[in-house]
Amino acid sequence: MNSQLTTKPTFSIDVFGIKFKVFRVGKNQNPRINFSKDPNAMRGVHSHFTYEIFFVTEGILSLIADEKRTAYERKVVIIPPKIRHYTTPSVYGSFCLLFSFEESEACAFQKALENFSSEDGVCEMPLSDDVSFYIRKVSEKCEENTLAAEKDAELLTSLIFHEIVRILLPDISSDKTEKSDSRHIGLIEEFINSNLGGKIRLSDVADHVFLSTRQVSRIILKEYGCTLSELVTEKKLARAEMLIKNTDMKIGDIAVQSNLGSENYFYMIFKKHYGMSPLKFRQENRSQRDSVPLETLPRALPSESQKLYRKGK
């Protein structure tokens, strides 16, 4: 029998000019689907007036359509409308959404779906690490059940469909990747600058901007020509540089405040970076201005090396 959609569209999103309506399904609208050891428990044959998309992040998802059984592992599976089917996941690991799109603006997308589809009309593509990351985060946000979490879930859903469109239509998305990276670099910069006093891990940055660690690494490498740890060290040294130039703080205290490790390590890495010891650097670059209060200094300023990274892109 045909299932009836009783919920309003969960999200309306625009991806590269294609307007999607996305519905969440499942208990508490958490798109993770249950599994059962009873092979007959999931035999609810049905169809939809929308597309149904499964993200098989764990275990195996068996799809039975027209008496044909197909097993999927680490895949994205898109079932078109009106195909009678049922699914049996092996674990609580598959993630399900329903979606539709405005065909008048998405002819290329629909054709791409057809090109990726098998004879039975089911579209299959690999599940990337990025999409798997977004899936896990959406599931977590659904469990929180707050307005802020709902907004995050909408953003994550948009990112998921960005990846789907990027795979199906690489030409339409390639010219807009630059703008996406530029938007994220500001958020990455903000997070790093606000957390220089502690340990900054790649996973923490990724969680903050809803990107995978691989994506964050790629953006930082493209923007600065270095790794996250190198960028953080640059920013910490830039702050130490400003303190040495513009305050009367003891070098040892600056070493501690820079949070670069032991005092000996600070001296070593500073000398390696600037070609002289912190004390000599102060003597040669002493500002003619009166010392300024510590709290008036910026949290981090780009060093000369960072500027060179930008110029060398």
Side-chain angles (χ1 to χ4, degrees):
M1 63 178 181
N2 290 341
S3 64
Q4 299 296 316
L5 288 176
T6 59
T7 59
K8 295 180 180 180
T10 305
F11 303 124
S12 295
I13 57 178
D14 189 317
V15 180
F16 302 126
I18 304 171
K19 293 180 173 60
F20 292 93
K21 291 183 178 179
V22 183
F23 303 80
R24 285 208 307 256
V25 296
K27 185 178 179 181
N28 297 325
Q29 290 198 329
N30 188 332
R32 296 285 186 186
I33 57 176
N34 293 314
F35 70 99
S36 173
K37 294 181 180 179
D38 180 0
N40 296 313
M42 295 293 288
R43 290 185 180 275
V45 179
H46 64 282
S47 63
H48 298 282
F49 291 106
T50 63
Y51 287 83
E52 187 173 22
I53 183 167
F54 289 93
F55 304 88
V56 189
T57 58
E58 301 171 44
I60 297 174
L61 179 74
S62 294
L63 170 67
I64 296 86
D66 294 330
E67 303 303 321
K68 176 184 176 183
R69 176 185 290 267
T70 308
Y72 300 97
E73 184 175 8
R74 293 287 301 176
K75 296 288 186 180
V76 177
V77 182
I78 303 177
I79 304 172
K82 300 180 182 180
I83 288 185
R84 292 172 59 80
H85 66 280
Y86 70 92
T87 56
T88 56
S90 63
V91 298
Y92 184 64
S94 292
F95 180 101
C96 179
L97 293 171
L98 303 178
F99 74 91
S100 62
F101 53 86
E102 296 183 11
E103 294 186 11
S104 60
E105 299 182 20
C107 293
F109 179 75
Q110 188 170 21
K111 183 175 291 186
L113 278 175
E114 294 171 355
N115 291 337
F116 269 73
S117 298
S118 57
E119 291 183 0
D120 56 7
V122 177
C123 176
E124 171 192 348
M125 64 185 71
L127 177 72
S128 69
D129 291 339
D130 294 339
V131 171
S132 184
F133 173 83
Y134 300 146
I135 295 297
R136 186 176 75 252
K137 287 297 179 182
V138 170
S139 187
E140 292 173 2
K141 293 300 177 181
C142 292
E143 292 291 341
E144 290 181 24
N145 196 30
T146 64
L147 181 60
E150 188 74 2
K151 290 181 179 179
D152 287 342
E154 182 174 5
L155 171 61
L156 288 160
T157 302
S158 178
L159 291 172
I160 289 170
F161 276 83
H162 268 76
E163 287 298 302
I164 298 301
V165 174
R166 187 184 63 79
I167 293 171
L168 291 174
L169 295 168
D171 292 339
I172 196 174
S173 59
S174 60
D175 61 339
K176 300 185 181 180
T177 302
E178 291 286 341
K179 293 182 180 179
S180 178
D181 286 354
S182 298
R183 183 175 69 252
H184 282 114
I185 193 63
L187 297 174
I188 292 170
E189 284 263 14
E190 178 185 358
F191 181 83
I192 294 174
N193 290 340
S194 299
N195 292 276
L196 283 177
K199 185 176 182 180
I200 300 177
R201 297 176 300 183
L202 186 60
S203 58
D204 294 331
V205 180
D207 286 345
H208 179 72
V209 298
F210 294 125
L211 294 176
S212 68
T213 54
R214 183 179 65 83
Q215 286 176 301
V216 172
S217 295
R218 178 184 61 79
I219 291 173
I220 291 176
L221 182 62
K222 182 179 180 181
E223 180 72 14
Y224 294 103
C226 63
T227 65
L228 172 66
S229 61
E230 290 169 337
L231 177 59
V232 170
T233 297
E234 290 284 345
K235 286 181 173 289
K236 289 181 177 180
L237 283 172
R239 177 167 169 78
E241 174 188 339
M242 292 298 297
L243 293 174
I244 291 171
K245 282 182 178 181
N246 298 292
T247 76
D248 290 325
M249 285 181 66
K250 295 179 179 179
I251 300 298
D253 292 337
I254 295 175
V256 172
Q257 183 148 334
S258 70
N259 197 37
L260 279 166
S262 68
E263 186 173 336
N264 287 338
Y265 181 75
F266 171 78
Y267 274 80
M268 180 189 73
I269 196 170
F270 190 95
K271 186 174 182 179
K272 179 180 179 181
H273 187 83
Y274 292 97
M276 64 186 74
S277 69
L279 182 58
K280 186 175 181 182
F281 183 87
R282 169 173 277 175
Q283 292 169 346
E284 293 194 2
N285 295 276
R286 188 68 185 184
S287 174
Q288 298 301 316
R289 298 174 300 169
D290 293 334
S291 296
V292 296
L294 173 62
E295 59 269 17
T296 65
L297 292 177
R299 290 187 176 182
L301 292 175
S303 67
E304 292 303 317
S305 295
Q306 289 183 45
K307 294 174 183 176
L308 288 175
Y309 282 136
R310 289 180 179 270
K311 291 179 181 178
K313 289 190 301 176

